[in-house]
Structure formats: C-alpha cells, structure tokens
Amino acid sequence: MTTQASSAGPDIADLCERVRRFVDDIAIPAESPAIARDVAALDLCVARLREQARSAGLYAPQLPVELGGLGLGWRALAQVLEAAGRGFLGPAALNCAAPDQPNMLTLLRLGTPAQRERYLLPLVRAEQRACFAMTEPAPGAGSDPSMLRTRATRRGQRWVLTGHKQFISGGVGAHFALVLAQTEAGATLFIVPADTPGYRVVRDIGMVTGYQIGGHAEIELNECEVGDDAVLGEPGRGLQYAQLRLEPARLSHCMRYIGRARRALETAQAYVSQRESFGARLADLQQIQAMVADSHIDLHASRLMTIDCADRMDAGLSVKQESAMTKVFVSEAVNRVADRAVQMMGASGLSDDTPVAMIWQEMRPFRIYDGANELHRATLARRLLAHP
C-alpha cells in the first residue's frame, strides 16, 4: 500500500480550494484560546470537525483510498497540507496531523495484518489516538536516539519494558504508544496499549505551543509486559524505522507550517494596510514593505524546497539529505515570517485578538522538533565533507 494518487485521483487545485474553504469557514471559527491547551476540549472539538471533514470529502488525504483516504502522493499533499495548515485545527480535522499521521503511515508500512486490524484501523476511523514514545529525560535519548535507555527484556515468552519517556506529543489520552526500546538485538519498536499494567502517564508537560491533540506527556513504563505480537517490524531495526518515520514527518510539518506562517503574514498585511501612524499607512513605509517582501521570499523558497523533496519521495528516492536541509531551512524561514508579522502588528501581534501570537509561539519549537537544527547541520556537513 502507498499514498500515491492514481491518474483518476482528485483535481488538486479544486481539492486545495475546498480544503481552504473548509478551514476558513469551519475549522478556524472553532479556534479559541480557551481550548488551546485543554486536551479533553480539543478531543471533543476535533471529533465534531472530523465528521464535517468526512461529509465534505476531505478526510485523511494521506491514506490510501482503500482505507477511506484520498490516496494523494507527496507533491499533492504538500499543497493540501499547506491549505489545511492555515488553521490550528485544520490538519487534525482532516486526520492528517502529528503524531497520528506518521503513526498511521508507520503501521501501514510495518504492521502485520493483525496489527493493522487492531491498531491502524481505529486510528483511521478516529476512534482512537496514539503516540510515538522515543524522547527520554537526560541522560536518555533526545536528538541522539542512540542514547536510548528504555529496555525491553525477555521473560519467558513475553517482553518486559521499563523506561521513562517525556515530551511525547499526543501521549495524554492516547490508547496506545509506539515505544522505542533497547533489546539484545538493538533498538526495537513496540506497540504498547495504554491500559497495560505498569504504563502510566505522569503528567501533561506544559509547553509554549497550543492546539496539540493529546498534549505533551511524560510517561513511565514499569515492567510493562507485552507479547511477541507487540513487536512492530523486526527486532533490532528500531532506529532505522524511526528514521523512516521522521523523514516524511519533517516534510509534513514543513507543509503545515508554511500554511500557518502564510496566515500570520496575511493577517499582518491586512493590519498594516489599514493602520496609520504619523500621518501615513504602515504599509507605505519602506521598512514594512521590506518585511512583507522578505516574508514572501521566505515562503516561496520554503514551498519550492518542500515540493522538490516531495517529488523525490513520490519517485521512491532517498531524501535523507534533502529532508534534513528542507527541515532546517523551512523551520527557520517560517520563524522569520511569524516574527516579522508580530513586529508589523506591534502589541496586537502579541495578543489573543489575532492568531499571530500563537503562530509565532508555534514556529519557534519547530527548530527543535524532529531533530534540532544544529544536529541536522552537523550531520549534513559530515556527509558532504565525506562525499564532496
């Protein structure tokens, strides 16, 4: 199974327009600072939005048609996720938000038929949520997954997992977790139901970002017993699977955040076009004009890099290097765009009266999520120096 679109697939320009109308007319009006960090309220809101997205024929654009999705390839997804990403709730409404978008693709690629039936299909139908548990408190795994300290050992015919995870997006209220743990064969990926004895969500870690379905959990695993049917893929290949998951996840973040940054810029442009100061519109000042121009340049370059990487993925080519470059550039470019939008709007850009402040807060962590930019730069440089 793939996410490739067939020749009889939807018209992408029309689909993007319908997604944009859905986000602007339905998803954005559902936004509220009151629910931005309320996990239970977000779940209720998103459930209602998903029913509307299904009715509108916009649900799960990344999934194969046979699973009820739209079967889009990555280039088409780049456009659709940008349109969905305009709203904080847009991607979740279409069931193409992190962490469940990459969770579903991981289960689709690695899962056995029984695992797909038990775990993938409930995610597809939005009956359950899941999380991906890799990051650990120091001295455990962070940007360097080789520092993994969570252990899975054999006890008879069972696996016993013990470890400590933190900053696990979507972990609060998740029905199961994809847990990366060290075994004798090497790092291995396990499916661990949240009702497994010894599995405990300690807390929802307060973060600067909002509208994250399932928050950001701290999770303890205290002798959690699972069977061989909990192993996802092959033992010892967990780091490879994590990398395969992260490459498309990074690109999807780029797609969504380009849309979010574009919304911030549009909001700022509307503001400076009507706001006057010292007898002139802000939009008539060259400093403001330079910020607008630089922001559009950043978005255009970001879009081109993302689409180029998407084309490579559609062609079945490795994007290890290209996805890292794209993630670094786009995460910094959208941060600049959001920061300029705040500056153009002054105090209004820092208030809850517009979405700009929340977008600005979202952009900053992207330079850390899915691998810190410094790590990507160092890895890229080593590869490039080794193979000039």
Side-chain angles (χ1 to χ4, degrees):
M1 292 184 176
T2 71
T3 59
Q4 294 293 317
S6 69
S7 58
D11 177 86
I12 300 306
D14 174 71
L15 179 59
C16 288
E17 179 57 31
R18 290 195 290 123
V19 169
R20 176 160 179 151
R21 286 199 306 268
F22 175 86
V23 171
D24 286 355
D25 297 343
I26 297 175
I28 287 177
E31 296 174 358
S32 167
I35 69 170
R37 294 179 175 86
D38 186 327
V39 172
L42 278 172
D43 277 339
L44 289 173
C45 179
V46 168
R48 291 191 293 267
L49 291 173
R50 283 176 175 168
E51 289 303 315
Q52 294 171 286
R54 283 192 184 96
S55 297
L58 305 175
Y59 189 75
Q62 78 282 7
L63 291 177
V65 173
E66 57 266 33
L67 287 180
L70 301 183
L72 301 186
W74 285 105
R75 183 184 180 92
L77 272 175
Q79 301 169 69
V80 170
L81 291 191
E82 178 178 338
R86 289 175 54 78
F88 296 111
L89 298 168
L94 273 58
N95 204 4
C96 59
D100 273 342
Q101 178 194 359
N103 286 339
M104 286 186 276
L105 296 181
T106 300
L107 287 163
L108 181 63
R109 181 166 186 170
L110 300 177
T112 65
Q115 288 172 332
R116 290 180 183 177
E117 180 71 26
R118 181 177 176 184
Y119 298 108
L120 172 60
L121 295 186
L123 296 185
V124 172
R125 296 190 295 258
E127 297 167 352
Q128 296 186 2
R129 290 195 286 100
C131 61
F132 185 79
M134 181 176 74
T135 303
E136 301 170 334
S143 290
D144 183 358
S146 69
M147 296 171 67
L148 190 67
R149 292 176 67 85
T150 298
R151 292 290 185 269
T153 57
R154 294 293 285 179
R155 181 179 294 170
Q157 299 301 309
R158 309 280 287 175
W159 290 96
V160 180
L161 281 75
T162 297
H164 191 182
K165 303 292 186 177
Q166 69 174 3
F167 303 122
I168 306 306
S169 299
V172 179
H175 293 79
F176 63 92
L178 305 183
V179 178
L180 195 64
Q182 195 66 255
T183 70
E184 287 187 0
T188 300
L189 202 53
F190 292 87
I191 306 173
V192 182
D195 60 1
T196 303
Y199 182 105
R200 185 170 78 96
V201 175
V202 178
R203 59 174 175 142
D204 182 6
I205 303 173
M207 300 286 282
V208 68
T209 53
Y211 296 100
Q212 172 60 59
I213 306 301
H216 301 271
E218 178 182 356
I219 298 172
E220 287 182 349
L221 303 165
N222 184 16
E223 295 204 337
C224 294
E225 288 194 23
V226 295
D228 285 332
D229 59 351
V231 176
L232 188 58
E234 299 177 18
R237 299 184 64 187
L239 294 183
Q240 177 185 344
Y241 296 150
Q243 183 63 34
L244 289 174
R245 182 185 188 277
L246 283 171
E247 288 173 8
R250 291 180 195 127
L251 197 65
S252 298
H253 273 316
C254 291
M255 297 168 183
R256 290 185 290 258
Y257 282 159
I258 289 170
R260 200 91 88 247
R262 179 180 175 183
R263 181 181 172 195
L265 180 57
E266 289 172 356
T267 304
Q269 287 180 190
Y271 179 87
V272 299
S273 293
Q274 55 83 30
R275 181 74 164 113
E276 291 190 1
S277 185
F278 299 104
R281 290 189 316 154
L282 292 180
D284 294 327
L285 302 177
Q286 287 189 342
Q287 286 182 314
I288 296 295
Q289 292 168 354
M291 284 192 248
V292 170
D294 286 343
S295 294
H296 279 275
I297 291 167
D298 273 334
L299 289 180
H300 183 58
S302 295
R303 195 172 290 114
L304 292 176
M305 287 188 74
T306 301
I307 289 175
D308 175 73
C309 196
D311 284 341
R312 291 173 179 271
M313 290 174 65
D314 280 337
L317 302 175
S318 171
V319 292
K320 180 180 291 187
Q321 191 150 301
E322 288 78 11
S323 68
M325 289 190 288
T326 301
K327 188 270 180 180
V328 169
F329 181 85
V330 174
S331 66
E332 295 178 0
V334 295
N335 188 76
R336 290 192 296 267
V337 173
D339 188 74
R340 293 187 196 108
V342 169
Q343 195 69 20
M344 286 190 278
M345 295 179 66
S348 294
L350 295 170
S351 73
D352 286 338
D353 289 348
T354 78
V356 171
M358 182 66 78
I359 293 172
W360 174 58
Q361 291 175 69
E362 273 197 308
M363 296 299 106
R364 179 57 183 86
F366 189 24
R367 289 157 56 191
I368 296 172
Y369 292 163
D370 291 341
N373 285 7
E374 290 75 14
L375 174 66
H376 285 300
R377 282 188 164 94
T379 303
L380 279 166
R382 285 195 293 269
R383 291 192 198 122
L384 293 167
L385 289 168
H387 304 283

